[in-house]
Amino acid sequence: MTDDALRTARTMIRERIAELEARIPRLAPRLISKKMDAIRGMAAEHGLAALEGLADYGAHHALMPGYRQSIRACLEHMDEALLASPTSAAHDREAILAALAVRLH
């Protein structure tokens, strides 16, 4: 993937994240999950494994009790995951998910 294509993908994903952040107080858990899953799909399509893992976590946790706190924490790590290098994707993904788990427990 070229740098321009990756830059464009990151911009589109940032727009989706911003929309979700703005609307989260008014969205039902299923819609939050659906939007997180859409972000996950875009991340997977563009090889952004750290973001894919984080969005997958968010999609599942949106349907659980205490979802607002989990989703807020996920959204706070989105930029970090979005900027993670595709070459160190597995390491970055695990580090971000570990930081999220520590924060929520």
Side-chain angles (χ1 to χ4, degrees), residues 65-88:
Y67 71 92
R68 289 195 190 280
Q69 182 182 2
S70 296
I71 296 304
R72 287 273 174 226
C74 283
L75 290 171
E76 289 175 9
H77 286 280
M78 288 286 184
D79 262 350
E80 180 184 352
L82 191 57
L83 296 175
S85 168
T87 57
S88 63

mmCIF file of all heavy atoms in Angstrom, residues 65-88:
data_model
loop_
_atom_site.group_PDB
_atom_site.id
_atom_site.type_symbol
_atom_site.label_atom_id
_atom_site.label_comp_id
_atom_site.label_asym_id
_atom_site.label_seq_id
_atom_site.Cartn_x
_atom_site.Cartn_y
_atom_site.Cartn_z
ATOM 1 N N PRO A 65 -22.280 -4.852 29.981
ATOM 2 C CA PRO A 65 -22.491 -3.839 31.026
ATOM 3 C C PRO A 65 -21.233 -2.988 31.206
ATOM 4 O O PRO A 65 -20.115 -3.488 31.069
ATOM 5 C CB PRO A 65 -22.762 -4.680 32.277
ATOM 6 C CG PRO A 65 -23.233 -5.996 31.761
ATOM 7 C CD PRO A 65 -22.507 -6.206 30.457
ATOM 8 N N GLY A 66 -21.416 -1.735 31.493
ATOM 9 C CA GLY A 66 -20.282 -0.828 31.653
ATOM 10 C C GLY A 66 -19.660 -0.404 30.339
ATOM 11 O O GLY A 66 -18.526 0.069 30.294
ATOM 12 N N TYR A 67 -20.416 -0.572 29.264
ATOM 13 C CA TYR A 67 -19.874 -0.318 27.927
ATOM 14 C C TYR A 67 -19.413 1.120 27.724
ATOM 15 O O TYR A 67 -18.465 1.368 26.999
ATOM 16 C CB TYR A 67 -20.875 -0.709 26.840
ATOM 17 C CG TYR A 67 -22.068 0.199 26.727
ATOM 18 C CD1 TYR A 67 -22.060 1.273 25.854
ATOM 19 C CD2 TYR A 67 -23.208 -0.005 27.505
ATOM 20 C CE1 TYR A 67 -23.148 2.117 25.744
ATOM 21 C CE2 TYR A 67 -24.302 0.827 27.398
ATOM 22 C CZ TYR A 67 -24.274 1.890 26.527
ATOM 23 O OH TYR A 67 -25.351 2.720 26.419
ATOM 24 N N ARG A 68 -20.055 2.085 28.364
ATOM 25 C CA ARG A 68 -19.666 3.490 28.138
ATOM 26 C C ARG A 68 -18.207 3.731 28.545
ATOM 27 O O ARG A 68 -17.471 4.395 27.828
ATOM 28 C CB ARG A 68 -20.596 4.430 28.886
ATOM 29 C CG ARG A 68 -21.980 4.465 28.272
ATOM 30 C CD ARG A 68 -22.784 5.639 28.773
ATOM 31 N NE ARG A 68 -24.163 5.547 28.365
ATOM 32 C CZ ARG A 68 -24.619 5.881 27.174
ATOM 33 N NH1 ARG A 68 -23.807 6.305 26.246
ATOM 34 N NH2 ARG A 68 -25.904 5.769 26.885
ATOM 35 N N GLN A 69 -17.809 3.186 29.670
ATOM 36 C CA GLN A 69 -16.425 3.352 30.119
ATOM 37 C C GLN A 69 -15.464 2.639 29.169
ATOM 38 O O GLN A 69 -14.413 3.184 28.817
ATOM 39 C CB GLN A 69 -16.267 2.810 31.536
ATOM 40 C CG GLN A 69 -14.870 2.996 32.084
ATOM 41 C CD GLN A 69 -14.712 2.407 33.477
ATOM 42 O OE1 GLN A 69 -15.631 1.829 34.032
ATOM 43 N NE2 GLN A 69 -13.544 2.571 34.039
ATOM 44 N N SER A 70 -15.810 1.439 28.749
ATOM 45 C CA SER A 70 -14.953 0.683 27.827
ATOM 46 C C SER A 70 -14.795 1.401 26.492
ATOM 47 O O SER A 70 -13.692 1.494 25.947
ATOM 48 C CB SER A 70 -15.541 -0.708 27.561
ATOM 49 O OG SER A 70 -15.579 -1.461 28.721
ATOM 50 N N ILE A 71 -15.900 1.913 25.972
ATOM 51 C CA ILE A 71 -15.856 2.595 24.679
ATOM 52 C C ILE A 71 -15.055 3.885 24.781
ATOM 53 O O ILE A 71 -14.248 4.202 23.897
ATOM 54 C CB ILE A 71 -17.283 2.853 24.149
ATOM 55 C CG1 ILE A 71 -18.000 1.523 23.885
ATOM 56 C CG2 ILE A 71 -17.252 3.712 22.886
ATOM 57 C CD1 ILE A 71 -17.278 0.590 22.931
ATOM 58 N N ARG A 72 -15.257 4.643 25.853
ATOM 59 C CA ARG A 72 -14.463 5.876 26.044
ATOM 60 C C ARG A 72 -12.971 5.553 26.077
ATOM 61 O O ARG A 72 -12.163 6.240 25.456
ATOM 62 C CB ARG A 72 -14.864 6.585 27.327
ATOM 63 C CG ARG A 72 -16.187 7.258 27.254
ATOM 64 C CD ARG A 72 -16.029 8.668 26.685
ATOM 65 N NE ARG A 72 -17.364 9.209 26.506
ATOM 66 C CZ ARG A 72 -17.765 9.827 25.419
ATOM 67 N NH1 ARG A 72 -16.940 10.025 24.430
ATOM 68 N NH2 ARG A 72 -18.982 10.282 25.314
ATOM 69 N N ALA A 73 -12.615 4.504 26.801
ATOM 70 C CA ALA A 73 -11.203 4.112 26.886
ATOM 71 C C ALA A 73 -10.679 3.683 25.516
ATOM 72 O O ALA A 73 -9.554 4.039 25.133
ATOM 73 C CB ALA A 73 -11.023 2.995 27.910
ATOM 74 N N CYS A 74 -11.475 2.944 24.771
ATOM 75 C CA CYS A 74 -11.076 2.540 23.411
ATOM 76 C C CYS A 74 -10.839 3.764 22.540
ATOM 77 O O CYS A 74 -9.825 3.852 21.835
ATOM 78 C CB CYS A 74 -12.154 1.671 22.763
ATOM 79 S SG CYS A 74 -12.199 -0.016 23.321
ATOM 80 N N LEU A 75 -11.777 4.693 22.582
ATOM 81 C CA LEU A 75 -11.660 5.888 21.746
ATOM 82 C C LEU A 75 -10.419 6.708 22.104
ATOM 83 O O LEU A 75 -9.801 7.311 21.221
ATOM 84 C CB LEU A 75 -12.925 6.733 21.859
ATOM 85 C CG LEU A 75 -14.165 6.122 21.208
ATOM 86 C CD1 LEU A 75 -15.405 6.925 21.567
ATOM 87 C CD2 LEU A 75 -14.000 6.010 19.707
ATOM 88 N N GLU A 76 -10.042 6.707 23.366
ATOM 89 C CA GLU A 76 -8.856 7.457 23.774
ATOM 90 C C GLU A 76 -7.564 6.834 23.248
ATOM 91 O O GLU A 76 -6.545 7.516 23.158
ATOM 92 C CB GLU A 76 -8.820 7.590 25.290
ATOM 93 C CG GLU A 76 -9.895 8.538 25.797
ATOM 94 C CD GLU A 76 -9.970 8.604 27.300
ATOM 95 O OE1 GLU A 76 -9.087 8.048 27.990
ATOM 96 O OE2 GLU A 76 -10.930 9.224 27.806
ATOM 97 N N HIS A 77 -7.602 5.558 22.880
ATOM 98 C CA HIS A 77 -6.418 4.885 22.338
ATOM 99 C C HIS A 77 -6.439 4.782 20.811
ATOM 100 O O HIS A 77 -5.505 4.251 20.216
ATOM 101 C CB HIS A 77 -6.283 3.484 22.941
ATOM 102 C CG HIS A 77 -5.827 3.475 24.360
ATOM 103 N ND1 HIS A 77 -4.513 3.627 24.704
ATOM 104 C CD2 HIS A 77 -6.520 3.363 25.517
ATOM 105 C CE1 HIS A 77 -4.402 3.582 26.021
ATOM 106 N NE2 HIS A 77 -5.608 3.433 26.542
ATOM 107 N N MET A 78 -7.496 5.278 20.178
ATOM 108 C CA MET A 78 -7.635 5.128 18.731
ATOM 109 C C MET A 78 -6.512 5.803 17.947
ATOM 110 O O MET A 78 -6.004 5.226 16.994
ATOM 111 C CB MET A 78 -8.988 5.654 18.249
ATOM 112 C CG MET A 78 -10.148 4.779 18.626
ATOM 113 S SD MET A 78 -10.180 3.298 17.616
ATOM 114 C CE MET A 78 -11.677 2.550 18.189
ATOM 115 N N ASP A 79 -6.146 7.021 18.331
ATOM 116 C CA ASP A 79 -5.066 7.703 17.599
ATOM 117 C C ASP A 79 -3.765 6.922 17.672
ATOM 118 O O ASP A 79 -3.059 6.776 16.673
ATOM 119 C CB ASP A 79 -4.842 9.116 18.141
ATOM 120 C CG ASP A 79 -5.541 10.168 17.309
ATOM 121 O OD1 ASP A 79 -6.037 9.838 16.218
ATOM 122 O OD2 ASP A 79 -5.583 11.323 17.754
ATOM 123 N N GLU A 80 -3.466 6.431 18.852
ATOM 124 C CA GLU A 80 -2.255 5.625 19.038
ATOM 125 C C GLU A 80 -2.289 4.392 18.136
ATOM 126 O O GLU A 80 -1.305 4.066 17.469
ATOM 127 C CB GLU A 80 -2.166 5.215 20.507
ATOM 128 C CG GLU A 80 -0.983 4.374 20.877
ATOM 129 C CD GLU A 80 -1.034 3.933 22.334
ATOM 130 O OE1 GLU A 80 -1.915 4.405 23.094
ATOM 131 O OE2 GLU A 80 -0.190 3.112 22.697
ATOM 132 N N ALA A 81 -3.428 3.717 18.093
ATOM 133 C CA ALA A 81 -3.565 2.526 17.260
ATOM 134 C C ALA A 81 -3.537 2.875 15.777
ATOM 135 O O ALA A 81 -2.971 2.143 14.969
ATOM 136 C CB ALA A 81 -4.868 1.801 17.605
ATOM 137 N N LEU A 82 -4.128 3.989 15.431
ATOM 138 C CA LEU A 82 -4.175 4.417 14.035
ATOM 139 C C LEU A 82 -2.784 4.740 13.494
ATOM 140 O O LEU A 82 -2.489 4.501 12.331
ATOM 141 C CB LEU A 82 -5.088 5.639 13.904
ATOM 142 C CG LEU A 82 -5.479 6.088 12.516
ATOM 143 C CD1 LEU A 82 -6.153 4.967 11.743
ATOM 144 C CD2 LEU A 82 -6.407 7.277 12.594
ATOM 145 N N LEU A 83 -1.926 5.241 14.355
ATOM 146 C CA LEU A 83 -0.579 5.615 13.934
ATOM 147 C C LEU A 83 0.441 4.487 14.073
ATOM 148 O O LEU A 83 1.594 4.657 13.691
ATOM 149 C CB LEU A 83 -0.112 6.837 14.727
ATOM 150 C CG LEU A 83 -0.927 8.104 14.471
ATOM 151 C CD1 LEU A 83 -0.460 9.224 15.391
ATOM 152 C CD2 LEU A 83 -0.849 8.521 13.024
ATOM 153 N N ALA A 84 0.017 3.351 14.613
ATOM 154 C CA ALA A 84 0.932 2.218 14.782
ATOM 155 C C ALA A 84 1.475 1.774 13.429
ATOM 156 O O ALA A 84 0.770 1.770 12.423
ATOM 157 C CB ALA A 84 0.216 1.065 15.466
ATOM 158 N N SER A 85 2.711 1.413 13.423
ATOM 159 C CA SER A 85 3.380 0.983 12.204
ATOM 160 C C SER A 85 2.883 -0.388 11.753
ATOM 161 O O SER A 85 2.796 -1.310 12.567
ATOM 162 C CB SER A 85 4.886 0.909 12.457
ATOM 163 O OG SER A 85 5.530 0.252 11.401
ATOM 164 N N PRO A 86 2.558 -0.536 10.470
ATOM 165 C CA PRO A 86 2.146 -1.854 9.975
ATOM 166 C C PRO A 86 3.225 -2.918 10.159
ATOM 167 O O PRO A 86 2.909 -4.091 10.294
ATOM 168 C CB PRO A 86 1.871 -1.611 8.486
ATOM 169 C CG PRO A 86 1.529 -0.159 8.396
ATOM 170 C CD PRO A 86 2.396 0.501 9.454
ATOM 171 N N THR A 87 4.486 -2.520 10.244
ATOM 172 C CA THR A 87 5.563 -3.498 10.394
ATOM 173 C C THR A 87 5.660 -4.039 11.818
ATOM 174 O O THR A 87 6.149 -5.138 12.023
ATOM 175 C CB THR A 87 6.924 -2.898 9.993
ATOM 176 O OG1 THR A 87 7.175 -1.738 10.791
ATOM 177 C CG2 THR A 87 6.943 -2.537 8.527
ATOM 178 N N SER A 88 5.201 -3.281 12.800
ATOM 179 C CA SER A 88 5.221 -3.761 14.185
ATOM 180 C C SER A 88 3.798 -3.940 14.710
ATOM 181 O O SER A 88 3.535 -3.776 15.895
ATOM 182 C CB SER A 88 6.003 -2.788 15.069
ATOM 183 O OG SER A 88 5.347 -1.530 15.094
#
